[in-house]
Amino acid sequence: MRPYLSFLSALSENNHKEWMDANKKWYQETRAEFLEDVSVILKQLSEVEPELSAFKPKDCVFRQNRDIRFSANKDPYKTNFGAYFSPKGKKSEGPGYYVQVQPGNSFFAGGIWMPMAETLKKIRKEIDYSGAELQKIEADPEFKKLFSGIEGDKLKTSPRDYEADHPYIEYLRLKSFTVSRPIAEKDVNSGNFINLALDGFRKMKPFNNFLAKAIEDVEDGSGIL
């Protein structure tokens, strides 16, 4: 049994430094196990994304401390464990693969979340030219079996330079380009979430390939989640 949900539940009820200091050993043991699971994901995902072989698990796992400087929520710690796998690195603007374990909110995902303006412009240009390819990816039966569709906040109107009756206007209105799938708590506890995430990552690779092709010369910025 994985310890993640029991630890994170306790943390969410005691989200302060005194509790974390008193439970440092529990936190370290739980995080170490998550790093081991991330290591398994990283190794197998590297078979389809060879650039990932250059990374270590700690390069993919997010810090537990929250940046509270500009947040109304002053809780010092995240109440999830999350890892992001991107061929260009965790801080890349390019597409990647994400897995999160959290009581009531465990999932895996992929794509690009809230890209910067120049990157968004490049993605829209690729959709304008090759929207049929993205449509085909989304319509693939294996893809549809896992994902409800390409997700993201949308503009209320058509973006600048594109007509409202553009054949791919629903894609062009997106401000993020992601897909996701929830993970049941039983699969987190058993460790089966690793296999589920890997299967999902393999099936979303054509989607990530499309995004990577669109922004292949973009190197800096911040990517998904």
Side-chain angles (χ1 to χ4, degrees):
M1 292 287 288
R2 298 304 196 273
Y4 309 137
L5 299 183
S6 56
F7 171 79
L8 292 167
S9 292
L11 174 59
S12 68
E13 294 172 4
N14 304 275
N15 200 327
H16 52 81
K17 187 176 185 301
E18 292 77 13
W19 184 89
M20 184 65 100
D21 287 346
N23 290 274
K24 186 175 180 179
K25 186 169 184 281
W26 189 14
Y27 165 67
Q28 290 176 332
E29 290 172 348
T30 307
R31 182 176 174 84
E33 182 149 358
F34 186 65
L35 282 165
E36 287 182 18
D37 285 344
V38 168
S39 177
V40 173
I41 295 172
L42 186 59
K43 183 177 180 180
Q44 294 193 41
L45 189 55
S46 296
E47 295 174 6
V48 295
E49 293 282 8
E51 290 177 87
L52 288 173
S53 60
F55 297 102
K56 298 177 180 178
K58 66 179 182 179
D59 299 325
C60 305
V61 173
F62 289 103
R63 296 173 69 247
Q64 207 64 32
N65 293 73
R66 296 180 62 251
D67 184 351
I68 61 174
R69 292 174 298 171
F70 310 108
S71 175
N73 179 1
K74 298 302 180 183
D75 288 345
Y77 306 109
K78 298 171 186 172
T79 54
N80 65 69
F81 288 131
Y84 182 59
F85 310 87
S86 174
K88 299 298 182 184
K90 194 164 59 177
K91 295 185 179 181
S92 165
E93 180 80 337
Y97 308 84
Y98 180 73
V99 64
Q100 172 175 300
V101 294
Q102 181 179 17
N105 191 32
S106 299
F107 65 94
F108 60 84
I112 297 177
W113 182 75
M114 296 299 289
M116 297 172 70
E118 187 61 28
T119 303
L120 182 57
K121 184 177 179 181
K122 289 173 181 285
I123 296 171
R124 285 177 174 156
K125 185 177 289 186
E126 186 67 24
I127 291 169
D128 184 30
Y129 294 155
S130 309
E133 182 183 342
L134 186 57
Q135 211 168 44
K136 184 178 179 181
I137 290 168
E138 191 177 31
D140 179 85
E142 291 298 310
F143 188 91
K144 288 179 70 175
K145 192 183 297 184
L146 273 185
F147 307 115
S148 60
I150 298 171
E151 305 164 342
D153 289 342
K154 286 186 175 184
L155 295 171
K156 292 182 179 179
T157 59
S158 57
R160 184 182 300 174
D161 301 326
Y162 298 100
E163 298 295 331
D165 61 353
H166 192 288
Y168 308 116
I169 192 61
E170 292 306 311
Y171 293 142
L172 292 168
R173 287 174 56 216
L174 287 165
K175 294 187 285 184
S176 290
F177 301 84
T178 64
V179 294
S180 67
R181 173 85 176 190
I183 301 172
E185 293 202 353
K186 64 181 178 63
D187 291 313
V188 175
N189 290 331
S190 69
N192 189 46
F193 77 94
I194 296 173
N195 294 325
L196 294 174
L198 282 166
D199 180 58
F201 292 162
R202 294 184 186 104
K203 289 186 169 79
M204 70 175 71
K205 180 169 165 50
F207 172 60
N208 274 0
N209 287 349
F210 179 91
L211 296 172
K213 180 175 64 174
I215 63 167
E216 56 189 3
D217 62 333
V218 176
E219 295 294 339
D220 299 315
S222 58
I224 186 176
L225 307 172

